């Protein structure tokens, strides 16, 4: 499997290029990523970096003034970082670098911690996984598919009904003033290992997140090497678990697909599966089911109230309406 990691950060564009470059040189030194041996400035001739240290970069930036809208630093420790001003119309200096192995991931997290601790103003810092094979996995707020992320207690409380659940997902939480740098699973480099460490917690966060904050995708690829996390079936057969939903009716007049939902209380893994959520989100995006029938609404009705409340958040986030049957057999909608 090809690994894809990325580091992202953001700074206000009121900072000069020299201020940002100088600070980045200090961060690289703090993170012990090796001396700066090369650099590149926007509008420089050629495609690659030129030999030189931080002082050479600063001198070049000084001669270019406001025309220097990007620069790159390269270290002897095989780490590079590029800072770009005003990407996508945003008034920021932004960082978006990628790596493809565990060594890069480790260096990126060290750099992220140095950045989080540096007084240079910044909006965020994140080190995460970037892989379309993760599209079937919900991406809950703040945690996303990240190995490291900077946040604070207020943001977590605003994003989750139970903030303590969020904090339990991390192996390290460094307090930096009012901020917290959260780090996890740096040794879980390969994708199956990452999912083995984080998948259950990610699904729990998706069920606990406040409405509309978890991101979902309509997957186009189902990697069979990850079937233990998405393929419905018995855990004993190394599959994701027993399905919770079954299609019971389709009303052509209202274009409504109705599913029944059931959770086995004795099953510690009993939840709506990630694949079931992805399939419902695909229906929403396509306005049609897998048989090509038009679908304007999806209803999921659980046999008992506790089942509906336990599973409501992800289902409502993928635009399904959730119901349970009361004692009289009447369907009652869950709307919170």
């Amino acid at each position: 499997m090809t690994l894809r990691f990325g580091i992202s950060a953001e700074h206000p564009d009121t900072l000069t290029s020299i201020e940002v470059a100088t600070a980045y040189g200090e961060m690289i030194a703090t993170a012990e990523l090796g001396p700066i041996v090369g650099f590149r400035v926007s509008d420089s001739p050629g495609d690659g970096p030129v030999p030189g240290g931080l002082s050479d970069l600063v001198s070049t930036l000084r001669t270019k003034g406001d025309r220097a809208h990007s620069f790159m630093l390269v270290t002897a420790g095989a780490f590079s970082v590029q800072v770009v001003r005003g990407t996508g119309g945003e008034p920021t200096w932004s960082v978006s670098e990628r790596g493809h192995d565990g060594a890069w991931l480790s260096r990126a997290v060290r750099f992220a911690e140095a950045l989080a601790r540096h007084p240079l103003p910044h909006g965020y810092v994140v080190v995460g996984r970037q892989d379309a094979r993760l599209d079937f996995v919900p991406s809950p707020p703040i945690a996303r598919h990240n190995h490291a992320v900077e946040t604070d207690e207020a943001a977590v409380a605003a994003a989750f009904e139970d903030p303590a659940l969020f904090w339990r997902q991390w192996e390290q939480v460094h307090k930096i003033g009012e901020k917290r740098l959260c780090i996890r699973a740096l040794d879980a480099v390969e994708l199956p290992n990452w999912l083995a460490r984080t998948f259950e917690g990610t699904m729990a966060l998706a069920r606990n997140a406040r409405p509309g904050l978890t991101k979902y995708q309509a997957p186009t690829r189902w990697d069979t090497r990850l079937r233990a996390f998405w393929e419905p079936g018995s855990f004993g057969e190394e599959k994701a678990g027993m399905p919770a939903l079954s299609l019971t009716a389709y009303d052509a007049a209202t274009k409504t697909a109705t599913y029944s939902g059931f959770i086995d209380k004795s099953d510690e893994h009993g939840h709506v599966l990630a694949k079931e959520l992805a399939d419902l989100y695909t229906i929403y995006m396509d306005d049609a089911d897998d048989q090509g029938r038009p679908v304007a609404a999806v209803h999921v009705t659980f046999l008992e109230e506790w089942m509906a409340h336990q599973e409501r958040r992800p289902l409502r986030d993928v635009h399904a309406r959730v119901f349970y049957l009361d004692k009289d057999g009447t369907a009652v909608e869950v709307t919170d």
Side-chain angles (χ1 to χ4, degrees):
M1 295 183 181
T2 301
L3 302 173
R4 299 179 183 88
F5 306 102
I7 181 170
S8 301
E10 186 178 87
H11 310 282
D13 74 344
T14 52
L15 298 167
T16 68
S17 61
I18 291 175
E19 287 175 315
V20 179
T22 301
Y24 268 58
E26 294 167 352
M27 296 170 198
I28 286 171
T30 299
E32 299 182 343
L33 296 173
I36 296 168
V37 297
F39 69 92
R40 174 174 169 76
V41 177
S42 56
D43 303 325
S44 296
D47 295 327
V50 298
L54 180 61
S55 61
D56 300 304
L57 169 60
V58 169
S59 296
T60 302
L61 290 172
R62 188 172 288 117
T63 62
K64 288 185 174 290
D66 288 340
R67 291 182 295 115
H69 58 78
S70 71
F71 63 85
M72 173 188 288
L73 293 165
V74 181
T75 79
F79 185 79
S80 65
V81 60
Q82 179 166 286
V83 186
V84 181
R85 188 176 205 165
T87 58
E90 295 294 327
T92 59
W93 290 98
S94 61
V95 181
S96 183
E97 286 292 297
R98 294 182 180 182
H100 301 279
D101 59 30
W104 187 92
L105 175 63
S106 177
R107 291 191 290 265
V109 171
R110 279 158 44 202
F111 180 79
E113 181 162 2
L115 193 161
R117 293 184 181 280
H118 197 279
L120 185 75
H122 64 277
Y124 64 88
V125 58
V126 166
V127 180
R129 304 187 76 103
Q130 302 173 343
D131 195 326
R133 291 169 297 183
L134 281 172
D135 284 354
F136 75 94
V137 184
S139 179
I142 305 174
R144 305 299 181 198
H145 302 313
N146 294 328
H147 282 272
V149 63
E150 184 186 54
T151 187
D152 58 43
E153 292 183 357
V156 173
F160 295 96
E161 294 178 359
D162 177 12
L165 177 65
F166 172 87
W167 298 114
R168 289 198 297 270
Q169 306 309 311
W170 307 92
E171 295 161 11
Q172 303 174 52
V173 178
H174 301 305
K175 184 176 181 180
I176 306 171
E178 295 300 315
K179 297 290 187 177
R180 305 289 184 270
L181 182 68
C182 307
I183 302 170
R184 61 179 172 178
L186 296 185
D187 57 338
V189 176
E190 297 294 335
L191 192 51
N193 296 337
W194 162 258
L195 288 173
R197 292 274 285 279
T198 64
F199 181 77
E200 187 172 343
T202 293
M203 296 301 294
L205 288 178
R207 290 189 292 271
N208 190 259
R210 298 194 188 277
L213 298 183
T214 300
K215 295 180 180 178
Y216 290 84
Q217 299 282 346
T220 58
R221 178 181 178 187
W222 296 91
D223 193 322
T224 57
R225 289 168 290 186
L226 305 177
R227 60 162 34 104
F229 304 98
W230 63 260
E231 188 173 54
S234 168
F235 267 86
E237 298 174 356
E238 297 187 352
K239 296 185 179 181
M242 301 310 295
L245 309 180
S246 58
L247 180 66
T248 55
Y250 172 77
D251 187 330
T254 61
K255 301 177 185 176
T256 299
T258 299
Y259 292 77
S260 64
F262 178 79
I263 303 297
D264 184 350
K265 203 170 206 175
S266 66
D267 182 357
E268 61 177 315
H269 303 289
H271 292 288
V272 175
L273 303 179
K275 183 161 193 314
E276 293 176 309
L277 294 170
D279 287 345
L280 292 187
Y281 190 72
T282 299
I283 290 173
Y284 167 75
M285 293 298 294
D286 292 346
D287 294 317
D289 63 14
D290 57 4
Q291 299 179 45
R293 298 178 299 193
V295 175
V298 170
H299 293 182
V300 177
T301 302
F302 288 91
L303 292 181
E304 297 186 35
E305 183 176 359
W306 70 266
M307 300 177 187
H309 280 282
Q310 175 181 284
E311 304 298 319
R312 75 194 190 287
R313 179 58 54 230
L315 289 166
R316 287 176 53 78
D317 279 350
V318 297
H319 305 279
R321 294 175 64 182
V322 179
F323 302 82
Y324 65 89
L325 298 179
D326 67 11
K327 293 180 180 180
D328 298 325
T330 301
V332 178
E333 186 168 9
V334 177
T335 57
D336 66 337

